[in-house]
């Protein structure tokens, strides 16, 4: 594996290996309605996978589309690292960083991808006791040059009311992520949060990206695409579910936004004057397809 291999994400600026990080970042939060959250959890339950595994499979699918169909996807995630029973109730920080690499087949259905990710996660966790720094040392690598550490996925399930948390009589206050919007430890980080205590918007997602690479407008556009993609994938609308997105090849899934689809539809089906030759028509169609399907950085107004 080439540890310097990078995902072809839609960055706005290149950064050389010698550039110093500014540490500045932008945050965008997206929320899903309760129908999508319920469908997401029902899918996880019926397919015998954890919410983390389903979220990871969804994120892999989105990255596959966002990177123009890159099949070798390696990212990192955090693990509680309490692999022994005696560690479950011990106070302390045991969290470790694990690499999650997948070589997907573009003809897999979403169901097949979820099943594969489930098995991959179990395999990774069985070796979670081996520290990442030892893995890198085995290959004589410096952690600062490892590309997959810059793309991070995380899933947080809230199991209690943080506002009621206290230790030895001292009340602890929850800090909003909005207060850390100017800090980016990684280039690209996506965090799913499931909070069953909320009346609405139980499932949400935060994107935090480095300002060294991304304009805020680009991040907002990525987040909008992800929100629309997840909403389509887990909608409970019967008329939409007839499309059965879980059972078509992931290669056929789209992250194109509705306004882009409308523009594409208008141009493709617009009456073309007889004065325009066939080559010109093909050129127009090509420009629209590139604009719509190969990830424009700015939404179409």
């Amino acid at each position: 594996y080439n540890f310097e291999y990078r995902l072809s994400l839609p960055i706005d600026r290149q950064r050389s290996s010698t550039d110093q990080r500014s540490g500045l970042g932008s945050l965008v939060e997206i929320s899903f309605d309760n129908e999508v959250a319920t469908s997401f959890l029902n899918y996880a339950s019926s397919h015998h996978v954890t919410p983390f595994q389903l979220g990871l499979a969804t994120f892999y699918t989105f990255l596959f589309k966002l990177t123009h169909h890159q099949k070798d996807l390696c990212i990192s995630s955090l693990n509680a690292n309490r692999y022994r029973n005696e560690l479950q109730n011990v106070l302390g920080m045991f969290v470790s960083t694990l690499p999650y690499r997948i070589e997907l087949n573009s003809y897999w259905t979403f169901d097949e991808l979820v099943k594969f990710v489930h098995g991959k996660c179990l395999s990774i966790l069985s070796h979670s006791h081996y520290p990442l720094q030892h893995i890198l040392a085995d290959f004589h690598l410096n952690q600062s040059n490892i590309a997959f550490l810059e793309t991070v996925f995380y899933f947080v399930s809230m199991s209690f009311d943080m506002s009621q948390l206290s230790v030895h009589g001292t009340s602890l206050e929850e800090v909003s992520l909005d207060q850390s919007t100017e800090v980016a430890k990684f280039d690209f980080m996506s965090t799913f949060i499931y909070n069953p205590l909320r009346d609405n918007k139980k499932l949400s997602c935060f994107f935090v990206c480095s300002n060294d690479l991304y304009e805020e407008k680009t991040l907002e556009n990525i987040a909008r695409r992800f929100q629309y993609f997840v909403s389509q994938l887990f909608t409970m609308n019967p008329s939409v579910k007839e499309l059965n997105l879980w059972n078509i090849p992931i290669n056929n899934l789209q992250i194109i936004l509705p306004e882009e689809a409308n523009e594409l539809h208008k141009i493709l089906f617009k009456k073309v004057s007889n004065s325009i030759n066939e080559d010109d028509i093909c050129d127009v169609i090509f420009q629209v397809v590139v604009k719509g399907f190969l990830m424009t950085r700015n939404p179409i107004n």
Side-chain angles (χ1 to χ4, degrees), residues 6-234:
R6 295 185 178 275
L7 300 180
S8 299
L9 295 170
I11 59 176
D12 297 294
R13 289 176 289 274
Q14 295 288 343
R15 182 180 59 206
S16 68
S17 58
T18 59
D19 287 344
Q20 185 175 0
R21 291 177 177 275
S22 69
L24 300 178
S26 298
L27 178 147
V28 174
E29 177 186 6
I30 55 176
S31 300
F32 306 99
D33 60 42
N34 284 349
E35 286 191 354
V36 172
T38 299
S39 178
F40 181 91
L41 294 175
N42 287 344
Y43 183 102
S45 176
S46 62
H47 289 76
H48 308 291
V49 297
T50 66
F52 170 85
Q53 293 165 358
L54 179 55
L56 181 60
T58 304
F59 188 58
Y60 273 139
T61 308
F62 181 70
L63 286 180
F64 169 68
K65 303 301 296 187
L66 192 64
T67 59
H68 317 320
H69 295 188
Q70 277 186 262
K71 299 177 183 179
D72 191 346
L73 304 174
C74 189
I75 62 176
S76 60
S77 187
L78 302 179
N79 176 256
N81 202 29
R82 296 174 182 265
Y83 54 91
R84 295 180 182 175
N85 291 332
E86 58 267 29
L87 297 177
Q88 296 300 317
N89 298 318
V90 176
L91 291 177
M93 177 64 73
F94 295 89
V95 174
S96 63
T97 301
L98 298 179
Y100 282 77
R101 182 192 180 195
I102 184 175
E103 295 179 280
L104 57 79
N105 186 324
S106 60
Y107 293 102
W108 283 345
T109 65
F110 183 74
D111 281 346
E112 291 171 333
L113 175 60
V114 170
K115 183 178 180 180
F116 185 85
V117 169
H118 170 68
K120 176 67 70 172
C121 287
L122 295 180
S123 174
I124 291 172
L125 290 178
S126 67
H127 298 89
S128 63
H129 61 278
Y130 196 64
L132 177 64
Q133 57 267 33
H134 290 182
I135 297 176
L136 300 181
D138 291 342
F139 290 91
H140 308 288
L141 296 170
N142 188 326
Q143 183 170 331
S144 62
N145 299 326
I146 307 305
F148 71 77
L149 291 175
E150 299 304 333
T151 304
V152 180
F153 173 81
Y154 197 37
F155 195 104
V156 179
S157 293
M158 310 292 289
S159 57
F160 50 84
D161 188 354
M162 293 293 293
S163 64
Q164 304 296 323
L165 187 62
S166 63
V167 178
H168 298 301
T170 302
S171 298
L172 302 181
E173 182 179 352
E174 182 179 6
V175 177
S176 171
L177 282 176
D178 293 338
Q179 299 182 25
S180 60
T181 56
E182 296 183 355
V183 179
K185 186 176 181 180
F186 308 100
D187 288 345
F188 189 92
M189 182 174 185
S190 175
T191 303
F192 262 112
I193 296 181
Y194 174 65
N195 188 349
L197 301 177
R198 287 184 176 180
D199 294 330
N200 194 23
K201 299 180 180 179
K202 298 178 185 293
L203 185 66
S204 59
C205 184
F206 290 88
F207 283 92
V208 181
C209 293
S210 171
N211 287 350
D212 297 337
L213 301 179
Y214 297 90
E215 296 286 350
E216 186 173 355
K217 192 70 173 179
T218 301
L219 176 57
E220 292 174 353
N221 192 33
I222 292 174
R224 285 187 62 213
R225 292 181 187 278
F226 187 69
Q227 182 180 38
Y228 184 71
F229 174 70
V230 173
S231 297
Q232 290 296 301
L233 197 58
F234 295 103

